[in-house]
PDB file of all heavy atoms in Angstrom:
ATOM      1  N   PHE A  65     -13.625   4.619  24.235  1.00 96.00           N
ATOM      2  CA  PHE A  65     -12.707   5.653  23.745  1.00 96.00           C
ATOM      3  C   PHE A  65     -13.562   6.952  23.209  1.00 96.00           C
ATOM      4  O   PHE A  65     -13.004   7.790  22.552  1.00 96.00           O
ATOM      5  CB  PHE A  65     -11.796   5.108  22.560  1.00 96.00           C
ATOM      6  CG  PHE A  65     -10.958   3.987  23.117  1.00 96.00           C
ATOM      7  CD1 PHE A  65     -11.394   2.688  22.830  1.00 96.00           C
ATOM      8  CD2 PHE A  65      -9.847   4.196  23.862  1.00 96.00           C
ATOM      9  CE1 PHE A  65     -10.628   1.695  23.225  1.00 96.00           C
ATOM     10  CE2 PHE A  65      -9.131   3.074  24.293  1.00 96.00           C
ATOM     11  CZ  PHE A  65      -9.496   1.801  23.992  1.00 96.00           C
ATOM     12  N   ASP A  66     -14.865   6.812  23.393  1.00 96.00           N
ATOM     13  CA  ASP A  66     -15.769   7.887  23.005  1.00 96.00           C
ATOM     14  C   ASP A  66     -15.659   8.113  21.415  1.00 96.00           C
ATOM     15  O   ASP A  66     -15.920   9.144  20.952  1.00 96.00           O
ATOM     16  CB  ASP A  66     -15.564   9.240  23.688  1.00 96.00           C
ATOM     17  CG  ASP A  66     -15.839   9.121  25.176  1.00 96.00           C
ATOM     18  OD1 ASP A  66     -16.808   8.474  25.509  1.00 96.00           O
ATOM     19  OD2 ASP A  66     -15.075   9.796  25.968  1.00 96.00           O
ATOM     20  N   ALA A  67     -15.423   6.967  20.765  1.00 97.00           N
ATOM     21  CA  ALA A  67     -15.436   7.090  19.332  1.00 97.00           C
ATOM     22  C   ALA A  67     -16.847   6.973  18.652  1.00 97.00           C
ATOM     23  O   ALA A  67     -17.052   7.449  17.673  1.00 97.00           O
ATOM     24  CB  ALA A  67     -14.616   5.872  18.690  1.00 97.00           C
ATOM     25  N   CYS A  68     -17.724   6.304  19.485  1.00 97.00           N
ATOM     26  CA  CYS A  68     -19.194   6.379  19.090  1.00 97.00           C
ATOM     27  C   CYS A  68     -19.934   7.246  20.106  1.00 97.00           C
ATOM     28  O   CYS A  68     -19.787   7.165  21.280  1.00 97.00           O
ATOM     29  CB  CYS A  68     -19.740   4.883  19.355  1.00 97.00           C
ATOM     30  SG  CYS A  68     -19.184   3.691  18.108  1.00 97.00           S
ATOM     31  N   THR A  69     -20.665   8.208  19.457  1.00 96.00           N
ATOM     32  CA  THR A  69     -21.446   9.067  20.216  1.00 96.00           C
ATOM     33  C   THR A  69     -22.889   9.273  19.639  1.00 96.00           C
ATOM     34  O   THR A  69     -23.098   8.881  18.544  1.00 96.00           O
ATOM     35  CB  THR A  69     -20.813  10.574  20.298  1.00 96.00           C
ATOM     36  OG1 THR A  69     -20.769  10.946  18.938  1.00 96.00           O
ATOM     37  CG2 THR A  69     -19.428  10.506  20.942  1.00 96.00           C
ATOM     38  N   TYR A  70     -23.748   9.688  20.453  1.00 94.00           N
ATOM     39  CA  TYR A  70     -25.142   9.872  20.012  1.00 94.00           C
ATOM     40  C   TYR A  70     -25.350  11.384  19.752  1.00 94.00           C
ATOM     41  O   TYR A  70     -25.061  12.184  20.685  1.00 94.00           O
ATOM     42  CB  TYR A  70     -26.193   9.389  21.017  1.00 94.00           C
ATOM     43  CG  TYR A  70     -27.625   9.647  20.607  1.00 94.00           C
ATOM     44  CD1 TYR A  70     -28.164   8.867  19.599  1.00 94.00           C
ATOM     45  CD2 TYR A  70     -28.336  10.540  21.234  1.00 94.00           C
ATOM     46  CE1 TYR A  70     -29.505   9.090  19.160  1.00 94.00           C
ATOM     47  CE2 TYR A  70     -29.602  10.845  20.768  1.00 94.00           C
ATOM     48  CZ  TYR A  70     -30.194  10.120  19.767  1.00 94.00           C
ATOM     49  OH  TYR A  70     -31.455  10.337  19.372  1.00 94.00           O
ATOM     50  N   ASN A  71     -25.726  11.741  18.552  1.00 93.00           N
ATOM     51  CA  ASN A  71     -26.006  13.158  18.205  1.00 93.00           C
ATOM     52  C   ASN A  71     -27.419  13.507  18.474  1.00 93.00           C
ATOM     53  O   ASN A  71     -28.314  12.937  17.801  1.00 93.00           O
ATOM     54  CB  ASN A  71     -25.614  13.362  16.724  1.00 93.00           C
ATOM     55  CG  ASN A  71     -25.623  14.717  16.299  1.00 93.00           C
ATOM     56  OD1 ASN A  71     -26.654  15.489  16.748  1.00 93.00           O
ATOM     57  ND2 ASN A  71     -24.767  15.243  15.541  1.00 93.00           N
ATOM     58  N   GLU A  72     -27.636  14.231  19.521  1.00 91.00           N
ATOM     59  CA  GLU A  72     -28.996  14.663  19.971  1.00 91.00           C
ATOM     60  C   GLU A  72     -29.664  15.444  18.724  1.00 91.00           C
ATOM     61  O   GLU A  72     -30.877  15.317  18.500  1.00 91.00           O
ATOM     62  CB  GLU A  72     -29.020  15.542  21.194  1.00 91.00           C
ATOM     63  CG  GLU A  72     -28.424  14.823  22.361  1.00 91.00           C
ATOM     64  CD  GLU A  72     -29.545  13.984  22.971  1.00 91.00           C
ATOM     65  OE1 GLU A  72     -30.730  14.175  22.764  1.00 91.00           O
ATOM     66  OE2 GLU A  72     -29.153  13.072  23.816  1.00 91.00           O
ATOM     67  N   ARG A  73     -28.978  16.284  17.995  1.00 89.00           N
ATOM     68  CA  ARG A  73     -29.552  17.108  17.016  1.00 89.00           C
ATOM     69  C   ARG A  73     -30.172  16.189  15.815  1.00 89.00           C
ATOM     70  O   ARG A  73     -31.223  16.400  15.290  1.00 89.00           O
ATOM     71  CB  ARG A  73     -28.554  18.026  16.413  1.00 89.00           C
ATOM     72  CG  ARG A  73     -29.045  18.997  15.346  1.00 89.00           C
ATOM     73  CD  ARG A  73     -28.033  19.857  14.628  1.00 89.00           C
ATOM     74  NE  ARG A  73     -26.973  19.177  14.006  1.00 89.00           N
ATOM     75  CZ  ARG A  73     -27.158  18.611  12.765  1.00 89.00           C
ATOM     76  NH1 ARG A  73     -28.277  18.746  12.109  1.00 89.00           N
ATOM     77  NH2 ARG A  73     -26.072  17.943  12.196  1.00 89.00           N
ATOM     78  N   THR A  74     -29.334  15.270  15.360  1.00 89.00           N
ATOM     79  CA  THR A  74     -29.735  14.418  14.222  1.00 89.00           C
ATOM     80  C   THR A  74     -30.528  13.207  14.684  1.00 89.00           C
ATOM     81  O   THR A  74     -31.211  12.561  13.945  1.00 89.00           O
ATOM     82  CB  THR A  74     -28.654  13.957  13.385  1.00 89.00           C
ATOM     83  OG1 THR A  74     -27.756  13.093  14.186  1.00 89.00           O
ATOM     84  CG2 THR A  74     -27.744  15.136  12.890  1.00 89.00           C
ATOM     85  N   GLY A  75     -30.297  12.710  15.919  1.00 90.00           N
ATOM     86  CA  GLY A  75     -30.968  11.519  16.476  1.00 90.00           C
ATOM     87  C   GLY A  75     -30.370  10.273  15.967  1.00 90.00           C
ATOM     88  O   GLY A  75     -30.923   9.169  15.930  1.00 90.00           O
ATOM     89  N   PHE A  76     -29.164  10.289  15.564  1.00 93.00           N
ATOM     90  CA  PHE A  76     -28.290   9.138  15.023  1.00 93.00           C
ATOM     91  C   PHE A  76     -26.997   9.020  15.827  1.00 93.00           C
ATOM     92  O   PHE A  76     -26.462   9.999  16.336  1.00 93.00           O
ATOM     93  CB  PHE A  76     -28.013   9.369  13.546  1.00 93.00           C
ATOM     94  CG  PHE A  76     -29.227   9.164  12.691  1.00 93.00           C
ATOM     95  CD1 PHE A  76     -30.058  10.260  12.345  1.00 93.00           C
ATOM     96  CD2 PHE A  76     -29.718   7.869  12.232  1.00 93.00           C
ATOM     97  CE1 PHE A  76     -31.120  10.067  11.533  1.00 93.00           C
ATOM     98  CE2 PHE A  76     -30.762   7.693  11.460  1.00 93.00           C
ATOM     99  CZ  PHE A  76     -31.555   8.813  11.118  1.00 93.00           C
TER     100      PHE A  76
END
Side-chain angles (χ1 to χ4, degrees):
F65 304 97
D66 294 325
C68 291
T69 59
Y70 178 72
N71 184 320
E72 295 283 340
R73 182 184 63 79
T74 64
F76 289 90

